[in-house]
Amino acid sequence: MLQQKIPATVITGFLGAGKTTMIRNLLQNANGKRIALIINEFGDLGVDGDVLKGCGAEACSEDDIIELTNGCICCTVADDFIPTMSKLLERENRPDHIVIETSGLALPQPLVAAFNWPEIKTQVTVDGVVTVVDSAAVAAGRFADDHDKVDALRIEDENLDHESPLEELFEDQLTAADLIVLNKTDLIDAAGLKMVREEVASRIARKPAMIEAKNGDVAAAVLLGLGIGTEEDIANRKSHHELEHENGEEHDHDHDEFDSFVVELGPVADPAVFIERLKGVITEHDVLRLKGFADVPGKPMRLLIQAVGSRIDQYFERAWQSGETRGTRLVVIGLHDMDETAVRAAIAAAAA
């Protein structure tokens, strides 16, 4: 008797859109469905996986959470993703559903296309691609170039690329979507939300379903069970670099546009002052994303820090475990011309 294919949901979205929070909510409200989770992060410190392992959801034990931190999943499909999927499918107790959280810098297209590999296609189908959007970031114009300025510059340099790395990734992640979640709508007003809807819709020819959310709170019944079979249609949802390759242009998605590093510090005596100073560091050095944990003396729990632009969320997330070395560890992600030495020094000064 043939086994029914396991549905897999790919959750994508740019850095800080709220993917991990949404998955955490999903796991805590899975209604008995056993979920295996594959997490891919850009950077050496697996913050997202650590957060999800501490969520205490019965639907997904620590053994069901698999982290891939060797690079962006879209660039390591053959080396990392396929072997990981094969091992998962060999388990005696196979999951009811697989959820894959991509890096915020990943193109979903190569990942979804990998589900057409023979050893995967017969056992798993892509239930749908869910793209999470930071509505506040879109409203602030983070993903929109000043096209009038670029057009003026093109007069001087006709080879100028009209789109930034951020803008291309944003559009590629939207292009792959079966469902778009406009997250963080509580951070903008009605007029801003209307603008975000129009901006997102203008970026893609297809018109996938679009819903609104606050704090990544989306019902499991909405996220799971789309039944799309996206691997059958992904060839019609080409990314920028795929289209440019077809046109004979050289354009590799190798993340040379972005840099990532980990800053390790000692205890942070005054978290409020540290957070306020971090906002200045982020603004001055144009840091795209900052996330990690801080050790606050006298507190039995770790302070989780998540920054998107100058917006910083912080809360005591879980107790330090027995035998765990306390410390402050932060992942910093920015464009390739970010001055790593200066950023490291500024963060260290902020903690002093």
Side-chain angles (χ1 to χ4, degrees), residues 138-215:
V138 175
R142 170 172 290 190
F143 303 109
D145 277 347
D146 183 341
H147 290 287
D148 290 337
K149 179 179 179 181
V150 173
D151 286 341
L153 291 173
R154 187 178 287 110
I155 295 175
E156 301 175 14
D157 182 2
E158 63 181 12
N159 294 316
L160 184 67
D161 187 358
H162 79 285
E163 290 180 320
S164 70
L166 307 191
E167 192 175 10
E168 283 195 2
L169 270 171
F170 180 58
E171 291 184 356
D172 290 340
Q173 290 169 347
L174 291 175
T175 296
D178 295 299
L179 173 67
I180 296 174
V181 178
L182 301 181
N183 196 26
K184 305 186 181 182
T185 57
D186 53 315
L187 301 181
I188 56 178
D189 58 18
L193 181 56
K194 181 176 182 294
M195 184 277 286
V196 169
R197 277 187 165 274
E198 293 172 350
E199 173 70 10
V200 169
S202 72
R203 296 292 185 135
I204 45 178
R206 295 172 52 254
K207 302 301 175 189
M210 195 182 304
I211 63 173
E212 300 166 12
K214 301 174 184 178
N215 300 314

Side-chain angles (χ1 to χ4, degrees), residues 70-81:
N70 293 328
C72 176
I73 198 169
C74 66
C75 302
T76 59
V77 166
D79 294 336
D80 288 337
F81 176 66

Side-chain angles (χ1 to χ4, degrees), residues 99-137:
V99 173
I100 303 167
E101 178 189 358
T102 72
S103 154
L105 300 176
L107 300 178
Q109 286 86 347
L111 172 62
V112 176
F115 283 86
N116 286 309
W117 285 46
E119 59 266 46
I120 305 298
K121 188 177 180 64
T122 58
Q123 302 183 70
V124 186
T125 182
V126 181
D127 186 59
V129 176
V130 178
T131 299
V132 186
V133 172
D134 182 338
S135 299

